[in-house]
Amino acid sequence: MELKRVVVTGLGAVTPIGNTVPEFWDSLVNGVSGAGPITHFDASLFKTQFACEVKNFDASQYIDRKEARKMDLYTQYAVAVAKQAVGDSGLDTEKEDLNRIGVIFGAGIGGIRTFEEEAGNYALTGKEKGPRFNPFFIPKMISDIAAGQISMLYGFHGPNYATCSACATSTNAIADAFNLIRLGKANAIVTGGSEAAIAACGVGGFNAMHALSTRNDSPETASRPFSASRDGFVMGEGGGCLVLEELEHAKARGAKIYAEVAGVGMSADAYHLTASHPEGLGAKLVMQNALEDAQLNPEDIDYINVHGTSTPVGDISEAKAIKEVFGEHAYKLNISSTKSMTGHLLGAAGAVEAIASILAIKNGIVPPTINHEEDDKDEQIDYNLNFTFNQAQEREVRAALSNTFGFGGHNACVIFKKYAE
């Protein structure tokens, strides 16, 4: 069976550094930090009092106010980015076979804000007055509902489900969409992920694990991947969406093409609940799998958008894995962690970073890893690698690889390349 080619024809983003794709990209290349004091709740007693929040998001731009009240914030982000991406793609739902268009859209946590609110209300009044829950409690909370809402919005009857693999979630969604389209199961799939976990339970839970940075005196510089003084990740929120489409279908309707999906990889660390393998074995395997799937050599890759969360162990293991997979070519790559600007969007990270990788190919610019100081070097990291510190770099990007690794040892990787006939 001959596999079909898959291309990207639409993009949508709501992030801590921009609520549209152009705003997001402009902030990336200019090294803008999205971090600041938490405003979603009173974090004054928390170890971490800052995050990368989405600013000035108005759900009513995308969703009827009555309908928005039935959605957790993570679903509102999902609908917003899906509307951006579908609009950008030019798909005409009146002319398309809607049975051949699907939605695969994930969330690592889902409606934690809704759960927190409903559980809190029950704790306050439930034992005295009996249980009183919002009838939309479950449909707002569950992590598959964003995919369902997007499909209902457009009447897409193709494959429809959510992925959940912690921080690898939306890369797994992209991988599934890619595989279904190239197998001929759909003409197009709306895919990506969203997250809205900047809530007391979210921040408090990650604090209890010692996973978050506590640099409360300087939030904007707290996410500092590959620097010796890194002390944990900075939580982010938002969403990213891609329209993946079978090439001939896209050409037949005259769609613009951002890039081609070359291949995907998946693996497991099978090592620890939350820590990556110290030698990067799972990270090494997932990149090798992606290269093999794409039928590309290490020398064909020009840019890696790394997982790079700014955690003490994870950054070291990923850098080791890159050197093992790419050998001498590792020193010719550009490597960057856009989480230094967006924070870590958890289940939405893969989609947002896929967009950054695609735009690096399209525009010939690699976004930077910000917040690195020359004397802030970790002896376990090879600084002969080009981490694109502090300033974007212009270069041709023929192919870009994007890594995401999740708690539980889930690893997912996607490779995009320049589209050519």
Side-chain angles (χ1 to χ4, degrees):
M1 177 182 176
E2 183 177 354
L3 295 176
K4 299 180 182 295
R5 294 172 67 184
V6 181
V7 293
V8 181
T9 58
L11 301 174
V14 170
T15 78
I17 57 173
N19 293 347
T20 65
V21 170
E23 289 176 1
F24 167 62
W25 179 248
D26 184 67
S27 293
L28 279 186
V29 297
N30 285 291
V32 175
S33 170
I38 290 172
T39 64
H40 288 334
F41 68 97
D42 181 2
S44 59
L45 298 179
F46 284 67
K47 292 179 182 176
T48 297
Q49 299 168 10
F50 62 94
C52 288
E53 295 180 341
V54 169
K55 290 89 174 167
N56 304 314
F57 175 72
D58 182 1
S60 67
Q61 292 182 346
Y62 304 96
I63 312 162
D64 176 80
R65 291 184 185 276
K66 183 178 178 181
E67 292 302 309
R69 287 196 294 271
K70 302 174 186 177
M71 300 179 188
D72 186 88
L73 183 59
Y74 100 90
T75 303
Q76 294 179 15
Y77 290 154
V79 171
V81 297
K83 280 197 165 184
Q84 289 181 24
V86 172
D88 185 39
S89 75
L91 279 170
D92 187 342
T93 56
E94 294 187 1
K95 296 180 180 179
E96 293 292 335
D97 179 355
L98 302 185
N99 294 335
R100 299 278 301 169
I101 302 179
V103 181
I104 303 175
F105 203 93
I109 294 177
I112 191 170
R113 290 162 63 101
T114 294
F115 179 82
E116 185 177 280
E117 180 180 354
E118 292 294 323
N121 288 341
Y122 175 71
L124 287 173
T125 64
K127 294 180 181 179
E128 296 176 2
K129 299 181 179 180
R132 296 183 181 181
F133 288 94
N134 188 314
F136 293 102
F137 171 31
I138 299 301
K140 286 175 71 174
M141 180 191 71
I142 52 180
S143 59
D144 68 301
I145 206 67
Q149 289 279 16
I150 295 166
S151 71
M152 288 184 281
L153 176 67
Y154 291 102
F156 294 151
H157 293 288
N160 178 239
Y161 59 92
T163 53
C164 183
S165 49
C167 306
T169 289
S170 49
T171 305
N172 277 126
I174 293 167
D176 282 9
F178 170 61
N179 283 324
L180 286 174
I181 294 170
R182 67 173 170 172
L183 287 170
K185 305 297 184 182
N187 293 336
I189 295 181
V190 178
T191 187
S194 63
E195 207 78 88
I198 303 175
C201 287
V203 175
F206 281 115
N207 267 159
M209 296 169 56
H210 305 287
L212 297 180
S213 170
T214 57
R215 199 179 294 274
N216 294 309
D217 59 335
S218 183
E220 67 281 356
T221 67
S223 184
R224 46 181 67 196
F226 305 105
S227 294
S229 60
R230 66 193 184 280
D231 69 330
F233 75 83
V234 177
M235 191 182 292
E237 63 174 353
C241 186
L242 296 76
V243 174
L244 302 193
E245 193 168 346
E246 191 271 321
L247 173 60
E248 295 306 320
H249 183 270
K251 288 167 63 177
R253 67 179 188 86
K256 71 176 178 300
I257 294 173
Y258 282 100
E260 182 170 357
V261 188
V264 295
M266 288 168 269
S267 75
D269 276 9
Y271 170 72
H272 189 272
L273 277 175
T274 58
S276 57
H277 191 284
E279 297 303 316
L281 297 186
K284 175 183 175 183
L285 180 60
V286 78
M287 288 187 281
Q288 290 172 330
N289 289 343
L291 287 167
E292 181 180 355
D293 187 49
Q295 299 182 33
L296 294 175
N297 297 314
E299 295 76 23
D300 296 320
I301 304 297
D302 293 317
Y303 170 48
I304 300 178
N305 187 298
V306 290
H307 186 57
T309 57
S310 189
T311 56
V313 175
D315 290 2
I316 294 171
S317 62
E318 189 171 12
K320 286 181 179 178
I322 290 169
K323 289 177 64 176
E324 291 235 8
V325 172
F326 289 90
E328 285 303 310
H329 183 65
Y331 299 99
K332 299 176 183 177
L333 293 164
N334 273 80
I335 299 164
S336 74
S337 171
T338 47
K339 289 184 180 74
S340 60
M341 294 170 277
T342 65
H344 190 355
L345 274 69
L346 308 177
V352 169
E353 290 158 17
I355 293 169
S357 302
I358 290 163
L359 294 178
I361 293 170
K362 179 178 180 291
N363 297 314
I365 303 173
V366 174
T369 304
I370 67 169
N371 297 328
H372 180 73
E373 299 172 5
E374 184 61 29
D375 59 353
D376 191 11
K377 292 185 175 179
D378 186 329
E379 61 182 17
Q380 297 185 73
I381 292 176
D382 184 351
Y383 290 97
N384 291 312
L385 296 170
N386 182 3
F387 291 104
T388 322
F389 282 133
N390 298 326
Q391 189 169 350
Q393 294 181 13
E394 293 186 9
R395 70 168 292 171
E396 181 185 16
V397 181
R398 299 165 299 164
L401 179 154
S402 180
N403 281 333
T404 47
F405 312 140
F407 284 174
H410 314 296
N411 306 308
C413 174
V414 58
I415 298 175
F416 301 97
K417 67 180 181 181
K418 275 189 177 180
Y419 167 68
E421 289 285 348

